[in-house]
Amino acid sequence: MLSTSNLSVKYGRTEALSSVSLDLKPGSIVTVNGHHGAGKSSLLKALIGGVRYSGVIKLNGKTLKRPSPRKMLKNKVFLVPERSAIFDTLSVRENIQLAAITLKKSKNLTFVLKLFPELEPTLERKAFSLSGGQKQIVSFCRCLMANPDFFLLDEPFLGLSEHNKLRISERIGILRDSGKSFLISGEVKETMVKADTHLELAGGKLFVKE
C-alpha cells in the first residue's frame, strides 16, 4: 500500500497541500479532482519525491526517507505527467523503452504491444510525427515497461479524443484486475473508470467526494 499522513507542500508562502492523508491499496483506483491549481500535480509529484514536502509517505508500511523519482521507480511507483514527456527526436520504440533502460529489468515490449497493438506500426517513427493522443499513449506505455505496482496518472485524459480515452481506460481496468493500483488526477467519468474512491482537493485539503 502507498499511503500519506499529514502531507504538506509549500511553494514559498503558498501552501499547495495541507496535511493530506490518503491510502492507495493494492488493486484499487483512487481519483483526485479539483480546479486548476488545486494541488493535484503537487500531490502526485510529492509521492515520488519530485517536490519538497513535509509529512510521512509510506510504501507497504515502511516510511520512505528522502524519496526521489529514480528510487520510487525502483520501488515500482511511476508517475505519468500531465503533459506527455516524449522526446520528439527519438523513435516511438526508443521512447517506450526508456524506463526499461533505467531499471535494467522490466516488462518486455511484447506485453505492451499486446495491450496497445495499434502502436506496432509506429514503432520506428519519430515521436514528433505523432498526434497528442498517440503521444499520451506512448507515455503510458513507457510506464508499463517499468512494470510498476502503483501508477500515478496526472490528468491522463486531458485533451484526448473519446477513442483514446476509451483505449486507456479499458487498459487501466485490465491492469487493476491484475492487482495494479492507480491514483488518477483530473475529472474521470464513472463510465470510463470504475474508481473505488473519489477525492476532491480544495484549499489544499483533501475531501471524500460523495
Side-chain angles (χ1 to χ4, degrees):
M1 182 167 70
L2 181 63
S3 62
T4 71
S5 178
N6 296 319
L7 186 72
S8 298
V9 172
K10 287 185 176 181
Y11 301 105
R13 295 183 179 181
T14 302
E15 191 169 48
L17 296 175
S18 177
S19 300
V20 167
S21 298
L22 66 81
D23 294 323
L24 184 60
K25 299 176 182 177
S28 68
I29 297 177
V30 176
T31 65
V32 181
N33 201 3
H35 64 76
H36 181 70
K40 303 185 298 293
S41 295
S42 294
L43 171 60
L44 271 60
K45 289 176 182 177
L47 286 170
I48 63 163
V51 294
R52 288 189 176 185
Y53 68 88
S54 61
V56 176
I57 298 174
K58 290 185 177 182
L59 180 61
N60 299 324
K62 182 179 179 180
T63 299
L64 300 177
K65 296 181 179 180
R66 296 182 181 177
S68 68
R70 187 180 182 87
K71 288 179 182 178
M72 294 306 283
L73 181 59
K74 291 182 177 180
N75 284 325
K76 296 200 167 188
V77 181
F78 197 107
L79 169 64
V80 179
E82 176 182 343
R83 307 208 183 282
S84 55
I86 297 300
F87 295 92
D88 283 343
T89 57
L90 298 182
S91 69
V92 171
R93 182 191 299 272
E94 289 168 331
N95 270 287
I96 291 174
Q97 290 179 329
L98 283 174
I101 293 170
T102 301
L103 286 175
K104 298 181 181 178
K105 59 178 181 177
S106 63
K107 285 286 188 182
N108 60 39
L109 189 57
T110 302
F111 168 80
V112 173
L113 293 178
K114 185 176 180 180
L115 287 176
F116 291 96
E118 66 271 27
L119 279 184
E120 189 162 6
T122 72
L123 285 176
E124 306 312 323
R125 284 171 54 184
K126 296 298 184 183
F128 71 80
S129 67
L130 301 179
S131 68
Q134 288 173 318
K135 287 182 178 181
Q136 191 66 23
I137 288 177
V138 169
S139 186
F140 186 67
C141 287
R142 182 167 59 203
C143 176
L144 288 174
M145 287 289 286
N147 191 25
D149 291 330
F150 299 92
F151 292 72
L152 312 180
L153 309 183
D154 195 0
E155 299 275 7
F157 303 114
L158 186 64
L160 296 187
S161 67
E162 291 303 314
H163 172 74
N164 284 327
K165 287 179 182 178
L166 181 62
R167 293 292 291 161
I168 291 177
S169 61
E170 285 177 342
R171 272 59 194 168
I172 288 173
I174 291 171
L175 292 163
R176 189 263 288 275
D177 290 344
S178 71
K180 304 296 186 180
S181 305
F182 291 83
L183 180 60
I184 306 174
S185 78
E187 186 175 357
V188 181
K189 294 180 180 178
E190 186 67 21
T191 54
M192 287 195 307
V193 176
K194 301 295 184 183
D196 300 283
T197 307
H198 295 280
L199 302 174
E200 185 88 15
L201 259 175
K205 301 284 187 180
L206 201 57
F207 304 92
V208 176
K209 190 175 180 181
E210 300 297 337

